[in-house]
């Protein structure tokens, strides 16, 4: 069966954005066709995406329309960069996850969205008019769907009208003819999709680009304290921007991104905080340790639950369903810990911390430098070289039977070096930066697999003891958990780490570090 053709075009005849919708002229079709217009309707539209715009980045629009009135209905339409669209009429409630959507939508976006929630990132009111285009035999040869959107969130903007030309099987020539006529009248093919237009017009994309550009403002000759304070302000922005999503439990990545901001703050205070005035690093480091300790149990539980189904695949004797009491135990623990986390993030202590920290960092930007104070370039070269030496020193102690504390210490030193590389990245050649991080990432991947397995094994044993003591673990569940513990030693082998460390300790990595401008000796 042939595919029904749909071509979407946007009206360009009105020039720049207008304060009121401009109705595009369809009278150009009157010489060749008869148009039967249905009564106009208005839809409440949500342009749906992940919080980090993963669909937009792949050229995909996900549009949710609700029509009120006697013929109330709703539609959810996915429009990929290439290929046909798909529409579902099932009700949708946001935030949601791809797995909860109808198959025709889910199958097209689940890989793109991943573990992130979906929610409207912009909203609009859309006047929709539908017309049947009839030929001289009064046969419908094309359907037109004309939309005149006006955004309501996050800003009020009148968007460019568009028309979707829906073909009718057997009338491809009429479809092409209508498209030609509309092109001549001032329409153009929609190359980006409706969501991209809304995100651009309402400033969503500009704000994201501005946040990204802010991290590239560091220059080598600026005072080191300014560079460090600016980076710390960016980390604080990341922390604050993820608080609401964490509190509302929209998805687990909000807490993850909040913790990344905290970890980067703690690392930079430790590794370069001495260039800040008034002992700021010493005064604030304990507060960010509190914040890190506060969020760690919640993140650990999220990781267990996100990987639960994969964990069950390691069973060979027990049935995966035997683990369901364990899942229920994790859910209960997470709910308890989340209440504690929310209270802390809404506490006066947290509010005071972020307020005073921002004030102190902002004041640092205008503090007079002391004589001989280092520049950002000098600080970067010195601290990256020092962090690399710490990595090398600990890496040389690693063997296949190295104790876990030694492995964990190396992993922490690698993280510190990675954070420094990322903070001072704007000072480096992009290609050289990528080479150094690639060398380091290979080592980090092996260390992470070892450390994650060890943490999960310890937690699994602890949870089994808790459930046994509380009487919430069935015999089948506890036996299945016992079986899982026996699989971890194979996942805690360091066989491939030695080869990756040898490569990292070799001459190529030293040369790559020298390309950054630091001493790699």
């Amino acid at each position: 069966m042939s595919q029904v053709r749909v071509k979407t075009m946007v009206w360009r005849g009105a020039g720049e954005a207008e304060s009121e919708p401009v109705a595009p002229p369809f009278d150009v079709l009157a010489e060749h066709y008869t148009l039967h217009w249905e009564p106009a309707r208005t839809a409440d539209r949500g342009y749906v995406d992940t919080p980090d715009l993963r669909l937009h980045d792949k050229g995909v629009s996900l549009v949710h329309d609700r029509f009120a009135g006697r013929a109330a209905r709703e539609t959810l339409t996915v429009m990929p960069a290439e290929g046909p669209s798909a529409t579902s009429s099932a009700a949708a409630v946001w935030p949601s996850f791809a797995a909860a959507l109808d198959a025709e939508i889910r199958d097209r976006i689940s890989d793109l969205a991943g573990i992130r929630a979906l929610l409207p990132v912009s909203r609009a009111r859309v006047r929709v008019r539908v017309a049947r285009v009839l030929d001289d035999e009064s046969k419908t040869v094309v359907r037109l769907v004309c939309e005149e959107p006006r955004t309501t969130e996050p800003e009020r903007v009148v968007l460019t009208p568009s028309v979707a030309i829906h073909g009718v099987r057997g009338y491809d020539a009429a479809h092409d003819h209508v498209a030609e006529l509309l092109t001549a009248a001032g329409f153009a093919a929609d190359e980006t999709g409706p969501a991209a237009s809304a995100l651009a017009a309402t400033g969503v994309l500009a704000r994201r680009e501005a946040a990204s550009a802010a991290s590239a403002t560091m220059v080598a000759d600026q005072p080191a304290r300014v560079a460090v304070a600016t980076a710390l302000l960016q980390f604080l922005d990341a922390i604050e921007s993820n608080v609401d999503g964490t509190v509302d439990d929209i998805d687990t990545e909000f807490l993850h991104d909040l913790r990344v901001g905290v970890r980067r703050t703690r690392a930079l205070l430790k590794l370069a905080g001495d260039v800040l005035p008034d002992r700021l690093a010493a005064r604030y480091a304990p507060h960010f340790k509190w914040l890190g300790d506060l969020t760690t149990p919640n993140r650990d539980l999220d990781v267990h639950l996100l990987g639960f189904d994969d964990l069950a695949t390691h069973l060979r004797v027990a049935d995966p369903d035997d683990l369901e009491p364990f899942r229920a135990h994790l859910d209960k623990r997470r709910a308890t810990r989340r209440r504690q986390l929310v209270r802390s993030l809404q506490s006066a202590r947290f509010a005071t911390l972020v307020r005073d920290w921002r004030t102190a960092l902002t004041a640092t930007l205008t503090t007079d430098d002391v004589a001989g104070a280092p520049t950002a370039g000098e600080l970067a070269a010195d601290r990256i070289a020092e962090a690399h030496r710490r990595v090398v020193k600990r890496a040389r102690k690693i063997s296949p039977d190295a104790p876990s504390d030694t492995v964990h210490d190396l992993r922490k030193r690698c993280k510190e070096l990675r954070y420094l590389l990322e903070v001072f990245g704007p000072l480096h050649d992009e290609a050289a930066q990528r080479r150094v991080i690639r060398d380091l990432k290979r080592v980090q991947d092996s260390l992470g697999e070892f450390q994650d397995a060890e943490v999960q094994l310890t937690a699994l044993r602890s949870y089994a003891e808790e459930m046994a003591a509380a009487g919430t673990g069935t015999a089948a569940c506890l036996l299945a958990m016992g079986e899982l513990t026996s699989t971890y030693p194979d996942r805690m082998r360091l066989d491939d780490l030695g080869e990756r460390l040898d490569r990292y300790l070799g001459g190529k990595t030293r040369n790559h570090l020298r390309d950054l401008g630091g001493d790699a000796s």
Side-chain angles (χ1 to χ4, degrees):
M1 182 178 293
S2 61
Q3 183 74 48
V4 173
R5 300 170 65 193
V6 179
K7 181 181 182 69
T8 302
M9 309 182 77
V10 291
W11 169 237
R12 301 300 189 195
E16 299 298 322
E18 303 286 341
S19 60
E20 293 295 332
V22 177
F26 290 102
D27 52 1
V28 68
L29 303 179
E31 295 180 15
H32 305 273
Y33 302 97
T34 301
L35 272 63
H36 284 186
W37 290 97
E38 299 176 5
R41 302 189 64 192
T42 300
D44 288 315
R45 170 168 294 179
Y47 298 98
V48 180
D49 207 328
T50 62
D52 52 358
L53 307 183
R54 296 184 181 189
L55 302 188
H56 164 79
D57 290 341
K58 294 298 182 180
V60 176
S61 290
L62 185 60
V63 176
H64 182 217
D65 286 334
R66 282 197 177 102
F67 293 89
R70 287 180 294 179
R73 64 187 177 91
E74 61 181 277
T75 60
L76 181 63
T77 303
V78 59
M79 290 163 269
E82 297 180 359
S85 301
T87 299
S88 167
S89 58
V93 178
W94 312 110
S96 185
F97 291 88
L101 303 178
D102 275 1
E104 60 264 35
I105 305 295
R106 178 184 66 239
D107 294 345
R108 293 170 181 248
I109 65 170
S110 59
D111 289 343
L112 301 179
I115 62 174
R116 298 240 59 173
L118 296 160
L119 71 170
V121 292
S122 180
R123 295 182 185 272
R125 293 275 288 173
V126 184
R127 183 172 182 257
V128 181
R129 296 186 296 151
V130 178
R132 289 186 299 119
V133 180
L134 281 60
D135 64 8
D136 54 9
E137 296 180 357
S138 297
K139 294 181 178 179
T140 300
V141 294
V142 167
R143 288 179 66 252
L144 301 179
V145 179
C146 180
E147 297 185 347
E148 299 169 11
R150 183 200 300 262
T151 63
T152 57
E153 296 178 15
E155 296 177 7
R156 294 183 177 273
V157 180
V158 174
L159 300 181
T160 303
S162 67
V163 61
I165 309 170
H166 293 254
V168 175
R169 288 187 178 91
Y171 292 97
D172 286 353
H175 178 280
D176 293 341
H177 187 218
V178 168
E180 291 172 4
L181 292 171
L182 292 178
T183 299
F187 283 87
D190 185 1
E191 303 291 349
T192 61
S197 299
L199 299 185
T202 56
V204 173
L205 299 182
R207 283 187 286 275
R208 184 175 70 161
E209 290 169 3
S212 177
S215 63
T217 57
M218 187 183 299
V219 292
D221 59 355
Q222 74 182 142
R225 59 163 178 81
V226 173
V228 171
T230 300
L232 289 168
L233 281 168
Q234 291 163 4
F235 300 158
L236 180 57
D237 288 341
I239 293 170
E240 290 193 283
S241 67
N242 284 286
V243 169
D244 288 345
T246 299
V247 169
D248 294 338
D249 202 21
I250 291 174
D251 66 34
T252 58
E253 287 301 281
F254 281 98
L255 176 60
H256 172 263
D257 291 347
L258 186 153
R259 281 177 51 78
V260 169
V262 173
R263 287 202 307 269
R264 288 176 172 170
T265 297
R266 296 181 65 189
L268 193 54
L269 287 176
K270 173 184 175 182
L271 301 170
D274 57 302
V275 301
L276 298 175
D278 303 325
R279 297 185 66 254
L280 284 181
R283 287 162 47 201
Y284 279 92
H287 296 291
F288 284 98
K289 181 181 184 304
W290 164 74
L291 193 53
D293 292 345
L294 170 70
T295 56
T296 294
N298 300 76
R299 179 58 186 171
D300 289 345
L301 287 162
D302 284 346
V303 170
H304 277 291
L305 286 165
L306 288 170
F308 193 90
D309 291 337
D310 179 68
L311 182 69
T313 64
H314 293 279
L315 292 172
R316 295 293 178 268
V317 178
D319 189 285
D321 289 343
D322 293 339
L323 289 173
E324 287 307 307
F326 178 35
R327 191 199 299 267
H329 181 75
L330 292 174
D331 283 332
K332 184 176 180 180
R333 283 286 301 270
R334 183 181 186 276
T336 300
R337 286 296 318 183
R338 204 183 86 77
R339 287 192 292 271
Q340 298 170 0
L341 175 63
V342 169
R343 283 196 297 270
S344 296
L345 291 179
Q346 294 178 330
S347 68
R349 177 178 182 178
F350 179 75
T352 300
L353 169 59
V354 296
R355 181 196 65 214
D356 291 353
W357 183 229
R358 184 173 296 279
T359 299
L361 291 174
T362 301
T364 298
L365 299 178
T366 57
T367 301
D368 292 334
D369 280 319
V370 298
T375 65
E378 292 167 344
L379 181 69
D382 176 64
R383 302 305 162 88
I384 288 174
E386 182 180 348
H388 170 67
R389 285 192 289 270
R390 286 196 293 266
V391 169
V392 170
K393 179 179 179 180
R394 286 158 179 80
R396 288 175 174 155
K397 297 179 181 179
I398 298 297
S399 63
D401 57 349
S404 60
D405 287 349
T406 302
V407 178
H408 183 49
D409 187 42
L410 173 60
R411 187 188 187 197
K412 289 192 291 185
R413 302 293 84 76
C414 287
K415 279 187 175 183
E416 291 174 350
L417 175 56
R418 178 76 173 267
Y419 289 145
L420 286 172
L421 289 168
E422 291 172 347
V423 167
F424 294 111
L427 305 181
H428 303 143
D429 175 76
E430 289 186 13
Q433 174 89 354
R434 284 196 302 270
R435 287 193 293 268
V436 173
I437 290 180
R438 180 193 61 206
D439 297 341
L440 183 61
K441 187 176 183 300
R442 292 192 186 106
V443 176
Q444 286 187 284
D445 288 345
S446 291
L447 293 171
E449 292 167 5
F450 177 91
Q451 185 68 20
D452 290 347
E454 184 185 47
V455 170
Q456 290 170 12
L457 174 60
T458 301
L460 189 62
R461 288 170 173 165
S462 175
Y463 290 138
E465 292 174 359
E466 290 177 6
M467 294 171 66
T472 56
T474 63
C477 180
L478 295 175
L479 287 171
M481 294 173 73
E483 182 184 345
L484 286 175
T485 63
S486 67
T487 69
Y488 278 94
D490 287 339
R491 286 184 269 167
M492 294 170 62
R493 298 176 63 88
L494 296 173
D495 296 346
D496 67 333
L497 178 60
E499 179 182 347
R500 295 184 179 187
L501 283 174
D502 288 343
R503 187 180 301 132
Y504 180 81
L505 296 172
K508 284 188 177 181
T509 298
R510 288 196 298 272
N511 292 336
H512 294 162
L513 280 163
R514 288 194 183 98
D515 290 342
L516 296 180
D519 179 9
S521 59

